[in-house]
Amino acid sequence: VGRAWGSRGMEAAAGSCWAPLPAWRGLLRGLLLAVLAAGCCRGNSVERKIYIPLNKTAPCVRLLNATHQIGCQSSISGDTGVIHVVEKEEDLKWVLADGPHPPYMILLDGNLFNRRVMLQLKGTSRVSGLAVAVAKPSPPQGFSPGLKCPNDGFGVYSKDYGPQFAHCNKTVWNPAGSGLSYEDFDFPIFLLEDANETQVIKQCYQDHNVPREGSVPEYPLCAMQLFSHMHAVTSTVTCMRRSSLQSTFSINPEIVCDPLLDYNVWSTLQPINSSGKVDPEKEVIIVAARIDSHSFFWNIAPGAESAVSSFVTHLAAAEAVHKASDIHSLQRNIMFTFFQGETFDYIGSSRMVYDMEKDKFPLRLDNIHSFVELNQVALRNDSVLWMHTDPVSRMNESVEVQVRNLLDILRNSSVGANVTLQEAGYSQPLPPSSFQRFLRARHIPGVVLTDHKTAFQNRYYQSMYDTPENIRVQYPEGLSPEEMLEYVTDTAKSLAEVATVVARALYRLAGGANNTSAIQADPKTVSRMLYGFLIKTNNSWFQSIIKPDIKGILGDVPQHYVAVSSPVNTTYLVQYVLANLTGTVVNLTKEECLNPEKTPSSEKEMYEYAWVQGSLDPNSTSRVPYCVRSTVRLSKALSPAFELRQWGSTEYSTWTESRWKEIRARIFLVASKELEIITLVVGIAILIFSLLATYFINAKADVLFSIPRDPGAVAY
């Protein structure tokens, strides 16, 4: 009875003590969340105190083709090393031999980033990674990590066609090419884009890693950690097979690599039915330029001379031809073509040729009357533009006659202009060009226009230094971004002159008989394009000519890498610039413009329609949108090798890009190995002591935490 009473008494006491239980729970829950939040914030704060992230970097990533892998990667958990600054070659001795704290993370001066130094670092285990500082000014001796013979094996010349010209036997086009981009490095290499971050690393090095009075630097030392682990290995054949198996048998497939792909941009002077086929009797002149570039580092591809100079000139020429009053009555049509992925074994041009052969394109190869390509035209000596032709196809008499006519028209179109056209020579082969892929399929009369007779004038081909400065784009100090957009540079005037000559020649080739004085490229338009494609894409002109739903593509610094997601920014911008320069503003509402098939007179299969943002209203912050009708279209720029699943092809490009989970870099102070071991041992000892203490406390819990008997309780 007494025990029962005591139990009821304790329950009553407990009930009276914990009566407001829900309120207490809410309070405890709130306190717990506050403690957890504070812990998270404190954890983030501790991490920020330990690590300094490097936010403005560009990694070297892994690319693969049918037989090789190139590029760089880190280990799966990232690579760490003590920082050593290398500003002259003598500094390498500390890294390669003398330094007592390997492995090292090297901060390398951009002027030392060359093949000789890199192969030294590649051959040692004392280097765990590399951070490259941009050289300013650009290395005066030039720097090209590309190949001496670009796209070797994928052009027209081979053992069966002009073997004397194969593998650049006759002309080494890129003598400055070191091939560095085509090496495989087993440690991470990052580019430091921000001079301030470079200075932070150097200061950390000065404070902690520089030997004092001849003695070895003592811990803690300044270290760097780079994360760039790549998923794909060996070759495209291997990675695509693994990805294919994953896609076939796994619910959540893990793809390890992706083909390099995008879209070609093309339009015609006279509209054609995009879903039909051009009449076999109708002749078309193709004008071409590439729109992609490359460098050693991922998505760092300014391509000022290698790509931008040619496609900007091409765009200006397209605008100029459209100024002719009789374009719709011309005997021949003109197709303005901008190929994507040409840096990687002619992805775009080989795909267009493939589609023409398979009747997957409105034109067939038989429709092509002639071919004119613009390829590196900004660095002319004495205003000379060189005309390159194919000596092998010219052995055919009919092709020779047509080529001669083409060269004569080009020369005559330059009369009175500040451009002199000269023939490179009958025995001179074609330089690396998209035209070569068309010649592989059919003998076509054509010419490639360049600023070089033999070797490239461009000392920074496929390099991060192929910048506006390389083609002498310069602005007076103190100009605002809007003033820079409108400022007509000497380079813009020079490229406009080339565009004028090309436009007049195209008009003559198409059968035009009128005076060509009205066909004139606009230097102001060229200036705007150079600013937008080389300096800043997020400018008022580009903002006004694109669709509202893709305004997010407008960033600050333009890059022209083909990538694996499509369309890339350059493709979009070329598409809408071409539509703006050659299209027509039509009086359609937004709904009619977005759904032209609902308007009977729209001729949807002949034209493309785009509802663009328009310029800002001068009296408000809103824009005045409008509808543009043009013949500008996109076509796939994916190598036929992937359509055919021939991943080991030697006929088509097989380039892929590895996937990765994270790309990041950071610096921090690292302790000595001895201190790290002591810390680990002490931590383990504390853990064991805690486990033992918990065990004994739990075992004696009934003694340590027994509830004393209530003195008021009496047992009978």
Side-chain angles (χ1 to χ4, degrees), residues 58-64 72-76 190 227-232 254-258 260 297-299 561 563-565 656-664:
C60 160
V61 303
R62 175 167 290 167
L63 299 174
L64 310 97
C72 323
Q73 77 155 354
S74 72
S75 61
I76 195 167
F190 278 53
F227 297 84
S228 62
H229 181 67
M230 300 288 129
H231 293 178
E254 185 173 340
I255 307 302
V256 296
C257 69
D258 300 283
L260 296 181
F297 298 100
W298 182 75
N299 207 29
Y561 174 59
V564 295
S565 58
T656 54
E657 180 185 274
S658 173
R659 288 196 178 185
W660 59 82
K661 274 194 168 61
E662 64 174 345
I663 298 286
R664 61 191 174 101

Side-chain angles (χ1 to χ4, degrees), residues 149-365:
C149 189
N151 291 355
D152 186 23
F154 290 86
V156 68
Y157 302 115
S158 65
K159 61 182 177 62
D160 301 318
Y161 188 100
Q164 69 273 29
F165 305 125
H167 312 298
C168 296
N169 288 335
K170 181 78 174 179
T171 305
V172 177
W173 295 105
N174 185 31
S178 65
L180 194 60
S181 288
Y182 296 84
E183 291 287 335
D184 182 38
F185 295 92
D186 59 359
F187 52 78
I189 304 175
F190 278 53
L191 177 69
L192 300 174
E193 299 182 73
D194 188 347
N196 292 328
E197 289 188 344
T198 303
Q199 192 55 44
V200 167
I201 299 171
K202 288 183 176 180
Q203 190 60 53
C204 185
Y205 167 78
Q206 291 289 338
D207 293 343
H208 299 279
N209 296 12
V210 175
R212 307 294 179 190
E213 299 176 357
S215 62
V216 172
E218 297 181 357
Y219 287 97
L221 297 172
C222 190
M224 183 184 295
Q225 190 171 30
L226 302 178
F227 297 84
S228 62
H229 181 67
M230 300 288 129
H231 293 178
V233 295
T234 309
S235 67
T236 289
V237 175
T238 301
C239 79
M240 289 299 293
R241 183 177 65 244
R242 290 177 179 176
S243 295
S244 178
L245 289 172
Q246 283 274 341
S247 300
T248 304
F249 298 108
S250 175
I251 298 175
N252 297 306
E254 185 173 340
I255 307 302
V256 296
C257 69
D258 300 283
L260 296 181
L261 78 156
D262 202 70
Y263 288 89
N264 298 321
V265 182
W266 64 277
S267 74
T268 53
L269 186 66
Q270 301 164 354
I272 62 173
N273 189 331
S274 61
S275 60
K277 290 287 179 289
V278 173
D279 190 304
E281 304 301 318
K282 184 65 176 178
E283 293 183 319
V284 179
I285 301 156
I286 292 184
V287 199
R290 67 176 61 191
I291 60 175
D292 69 299
S293 187
H294 180 45
S295 82
F296 186 87
F297 298 100
W298 182 75
N299 207 29
I300 301 295
E305 161 73 341
S306 61
V308 177
S309 69
S310 55
F311 75 70
V312 161
T313 305
H314 186 179
L315 287 164
E319 181 192 33
V321 173
H322 276 77
K323 292 178 182 177
S325 58
D326 58 339
I327 57 174
H328 293 291
S329 61
L330 292 177
Q331 177 186 351
R332 301 183 185 94
N333 204 347
I334 301 174
M335 187 169 92
F336 305 97
T337 314
F338 300 82
F339 291 120
Q340 183 64 276
E342 295 300 274
T343 303
F344 295 95
D345 299 337
Y346 307 117
I347 293 174
S349 55
S350 62
R351 180 52 187 260
M352 184 170 282
V353 171
Y354 174 82
D355 286 345
M356 287 180 176
E357 290 176 324
K358 302 298 180 182
D359 281 343
K360 296 180 179 180
F361 196 78
L363 268 69
R364 301 178 180 87
L365 290 170

Side-chain angles (χ1 to χ4, degrees), residues 28 96 116 225 367 396 441 473 494 548 579 583 637 680 712:
L28 285 171
L96 299 175
R116 185 181 68 258
Q225 190 171 30
N367 292 117
N396 180 295
V473 174
S494 173
L680 177 63

Side-chain angles (χ1 to χ4, degrees), residues 569-688:
N569 297 358
T570 302
T571 302
Y572 271 132
L573 292 173
V574 169
Q575 177 188 6
Y576 287 103
V577 168
L578 183 60
N580 177 268
L581 298 180
T582 63
T584 306
V585 177
V586 291
N587 187 23
L588 295 178
T589 65
K590 180 178 180 180
E591 184 179 353
E592 290 171 336
C593 190
L594 295 177
N595 302 282
E597 65 278 359
K598 296 180 181 179
T599 306
S601 60
S602 66
E603 297 181 284
K604 169 62 178 168
E605 293 187 345
M606 307 294 284
Y607 296 99
E608 292 290 318
Y609 292 80
W611 185 258
V612 300
Q613 291 193 121
S615 302
L616 285 170
D617 190 322
N619 301 318
S620 71
T621 57
S622 61
R623 295 185 176 274
V624 184
Y626 56 91
C627 186
V628 175
R629 185 185 73 181
S630 71
T631 61
V632 180
R633 296 183 174 92
L634 301 180
S635 66
K636 193 178 291 186
L638 170 66
S639 171
F642 298 100
E643 294 277 322
L644 301 169
R645 296 177 67 86
Q646 296 175 359
W647 303 319
S649 173
T650 57
E651 170 73 12
Y652 299 111
S653 170
T654 56
W655 285 105
T656 54
E657 180 185 274
S658 173
R659 288 196 178 185
W660 59 82
K661 274 194 168 61
E662 64 174 345
I663 298 286
R664 61 191 174 101
R666 60 189 184 181
I667 63 172
F668 58 96
L669 294 181
V670 63
S672 65
K673 292 294 182 186
E674 292 78 6
L675 180 57
E676 289 179 347
I677 292 172
I678 291 171
T679 304
L680 177 63
V681 171
V682 170
I684 293 172
I686 292 173
L687 175 63
I688 293 172

